[in-house]
Amino acid sequence: MKSDLFSSDHMAQPAHAPGMTLQNAKSIKYAVNGEMFARQGAMIAYRGDLQFERKSQGVGGMLKRAMTGEGLPVMAVRGQGEAWFAHEAQNCFVVDIEPGDVLTVNGRNVLCFDASLSYEIKTVKGAGMTGGGLFNSVFTGAGRLGLICEGNPLVIPVSPQQPVYVDTDAVVGWTANLSTSLHRSQSIGSMIRGGSGEAVQLKLEGEGHVIVRPSEATPQKPQQH
């Protein structure tokens, strides 16, 4: 059988080392040798001896359903084998987090991550997200984090002289040393999404970068369990 479909661009190759790599722009491959964590329902294929366990109540008692802004649970993947992860054909990115790094990420943009990473869940109350707050996971430690983004993300530098204001429904995450606050503006309310009245943005100040997706929040879909 001959087709471009079977070219090396699409063909899955055996893993050379344990851990996370980009399979292509829309999926992440993870060679599991022990344990890792992923968004519940994001596994699209696997091979080998792997077990999947829902972790809705936490990793070490710390993970909550609010770990993702959409309230999705997370699963542990254990054993030896290979698994592929994706979510609604969103673009995938792998971030290497090193000791001393801090990355704050909206939970809805988390696809999978190494068990060696630590995080704590924080919220920015009243930020306009479904459920009454903007949920964030603050990742630290050493390991790899797989992120998803609807469209190609925009990374904007933030400096003490130039704070950045972002739509709370569009923010993906930001780096360490940035402080956040809610900024309310009535003067531009009528120009945002054709609405009127008070508009709310997330203000980031300090030295670092903020990641924004090029789309607004989309309605949640019922989750299958």
Side-chain angles (χ1 to χ4, degrees):
M1 189 178 298
K2 295 181 179 180
S3 171
D4 290 342
L5 175 63
F6 298 101
S7 70
S8 59
D9 291 338
H10 306 295
M11 190 69 65
Q13 302 296 330
H16 297 293
M20 182 188 310
T21 56
L22 275 179
Q23 175 67 44
N24 54 40
K26 305 293 184 180
S27 64
I28 284 177
K29 175 183 178 178
Y30 201 109
V32 184
N33 183 21
E35 183 180 56
M36 56 85 61
F37 297 97
R39 183 189 190 97
Q40 175 75 33
M43 187 274 292
I44 57 174
Y46 80 93
R47 59 188 178 189
D49 183 15
L50 296 178
Q51 294 80 44
F52 301 85
E53 178 185 350
R54 182 180 300 178
K55 300 294 292 185
S56 60
Q57 297 304 315
V59 178
M62 292 298 293
L63 186 62
K64 303 176 183 177
R65 290 182 63 87
M67 186 268 173
T68 65
E70 297 171 344
L72 299 177
V74 166
M75 61 183 175
V77 184
R78 300 187 181 95
Q80 291 187 326
E82 297 169 295
W84 287 264
F85 301 96
H87 182 66
E88 298 181 349
Q90 294 188 28
N91 292 342
C92 296
F93 303 88
V94 174
V95 179
D96 285 291
I97 297 179
E98 300 177 347
D101 291 342
V102 181
L103 182 64
T104 299
V105 183
N106 192 307
R108 69 188 172 201
N109 297 103
V110 174
L111 182 64
C112 54
F113 54 97
D114 289 345
S116 58
L117 290 177
S118 301
Y119 59 87
E120 76 175 298
I121 300 164
K122 294 186 177 181
T123 60
V124 180
K125 297 296 185 182
M129 292 296 299
T130 301
L134 180 65
F135 292 90
N136 297 305
S137 296
V138 183
F139 285 88
T140 57
R144 285 193 145 191
L145 169 65
L147 299 180
I148 49 176
C149 181
E150 187 174 343
N152 289 322
L154 173 64
V155 180
I156 306 173
V158 181
S159 68
Q161 297 76 27
Q162 289 188 310
V164 176
Y165 304 84
V166 299
D167 186 323
T168 57
D169 287 337
V171 64
V172 173
W174 57 89
T175 57
N177 303 320
L178 292 182
S179 60
T180 61
S181 60
L182 291 181
H183 176 75
R184 293 177 170 84
S185 173
Q186 293 182 333
S187 61
I188 62 172
S190 61
M191 295 184 288
I192 295 181
R193 301 186 191 133
S196 60
E198 187 176 59
V200 180
Q201 301 89 39
L202 189 66
K203 180 181 180 181
L204 296 107
E205 301 176 275
E207 191 79 37
H209 296 83
V210 58
I211 310 164
V212 182
R213 65 176 183 163
S215 62
E216 298 172 354
T218 54
Q220 296 183 36
K221 297 180 181 180
Q223 298 301 312
Q224 296 181 352
H225 300 287

